[in-house]
Amino acid sequence: MLTRTASAATLLLLMAASAVLAQPPGRRGGGFGRRGFGGDENQASAAALLRMPEVRRELGVSDEQNSQVDEALAALNEQLRASFGNFQELQGLDEDERAKRLTAAREASEAAQKKADEKLAGILNAEQLARLEELRLQREGSAALLRPEVANKLGLSDEQRRQLGDLQAKARGAGAGGANFQQMSEDERREFFAQMQQRREAADKQMLAVLTAEQRQTIDEMKGEAFTFPPPPSGFGGGFAAGGGRFGPGGGAAERQRPPIKQRQP
């Protein structure tokens, strides 16, 4: 039997997936993803980032590239719809069966996301890809520290990796807090998301404290110039994992005067 926390998390995943699948290519992306309610890796995937017109402008995506990106995102949307299937059917299942179906759907969607990211990487040039990686680090927040390639660049010790993993698991475990999301009013949902954001910020501070001063400087340099991400259009998530320039509280980036990346001449 699933706990009330798992039930709330399942419902949130259903709602988030619905919101993502409703987004046409080039629109602002949302969704929570599998890493919990903060620092979510799906929000920081190449596909999720390139759904944002603001990110495409930052990268200096050409008209030809835009068409190719739109095509790749449209194909991804179809694959995601197929993996999640009929939402009304899912809601009619008992919680154990629904959890199994959602696990299978999540695995299928992650595979589709990975394939789409590889395709999108072939559309962008090297300079655009480098900037996209900087934006991904900014978008992920402290969860980026758990990526092996990031941890290796920072030279994290085995003990640091263990501590970071424990903190992230603790933050995920506190996620839904046993809330019955279906019975919440709109105001209660907003308060619920605000509390989750506070937990995310507290986890960010704890995870940053695991790093040395040199490692914190390195990750800041890896993120490049600060970028302000747009807020999600539906209000779900209240800007989770949307921190701009820094990890932790106050992570929103100030507006920049940085010009977009220029297209290379053929």
Side-chain angles (χ1 to χ4, degrees):
M1 179 67 67
L2 295 179
T3 64
R4 291 177 62 197
T5 297
S7 299
T10 296
L11 181 60
L12 285 170
L13 178 58
L14 283 168
M15 295 176 66
S18 297
V20 171
L21 295 180
Q23 295 289 340
R27 295 294 299 277
R28 294 172 181 178
F32 298 102
R34 71 181 176 87
R35 280 199 176 178
F37 304 104
D40 134 24
E41 72 175 8
N42 286 340
Q43 272 198 339
S45 69
L49 291 173
L50 287 170
R51 290 183 191 278
M52 304 178 193
E54 296 86 349
V55 168
R56 296 199 200 186
R57 287 194 293 270
E58 174 73 8
L59 300 181
V61 175
S62 68
D63 290 342
E64 181 180 358
Q65 287 176 316
N66 267 318
S67 297
Q68 294 175 325
V69 169
D70 285 345
E71 183 179 341
L73 293 181
L76 173 61
N77 280 353
E78 290 303 315
Q79 291 175 308
L80 292 178
R81 288 190 182 95
S83 65
F84 278 95
N86 189 310
F87 284 98
Q88 291 182 343
E89 179 184 344
L90 283 175
Q91 292 174 357
L93 300 174
D94 64 60
E95 292 188 348
D96 287 335
E97 182 61 28
R98 185 188 306 153
K100 292 178 183 177
R101 292 277 294 273
L102 282 171
T103 296
R106 187 192 66 198
E107 291 173 351
S109 68
E110 288 171 359
Q113 287 271 5
K114 182 178 179 181
K115 184 177 180 180
D117 281 0
E118 292 172 352
K119 185 172 183 179
L120 290 166
I123 296 172
L124 303 179
N125 63 39
E127 188 177 2
Q128 290 169 329
L129 285 172
R131 180 57 177 161
L132 188 65
E133 174 60 20
E134 292 176 348
L135 298 186
R136 181 183 180 187
L137 288 170
Q138 294 182 35
R139 186 72 164 172
E140 284 180 310
S142 59
L145 302 174
L146 299 174
R147 280 202 277 138
E149 62 269 30
V150 175
N152 291 339
K153 287 182 179 179
L154 294 176
L156 298 184
S157 66
D158 290 342
E159 177 61 19
Q160 285 178 310
R161 296 177 198 229
R162 184 193 66 76
Q163 292 179 33
L164 291 170
D166 289 347
L167 287 169
Q168 183 69 359
K170 181 180 178 181
R172 287 201 305 267
N180 190 335
F181 196 80
Q182 285 177 299
Q183 297 180 4
M184 288 183 183
S185 67
E186 183 62 27
D187 287 342
E188 288 172 333
R189 290 177 184 177
R190 291 182 183 279
E191 176 62 23
F192 175 74
F193 285 126
Q195 291 176 359
M196 288 165 59
Q197 177 66 16
Q198 291 173 359
R199 294 190 190 103
R200 184 257 172 122
E201 291 176 350
D204 279 353
K205 288 183 65 175
Q206 292 176 315
M207 293 178 76
L208 271 180
V210 173
L211 306 184
T212 66
E214 183 179 358
Q215 288 168 336
R216 286 193 291 271
Q217 180 179 350
T218 299
I219 191 65
D220 273 342
E221 292 172 351
M222 288 170 61
K223 290 192 280 87
E225 294 190 50
F227 177 79
T228 301
F229 290 97
S234 64
F236 288 125
F240 298 133
R246 296 178 180 277
F247 293 111
E255 293 290 342
R256 308 146 356 281
Q257 300 300 319
R258 182 182 188 274
I261 295 172
K262 294 182 179 180
Q263 282 293 301
R264 293 176 176 173
Q265 297 298 320

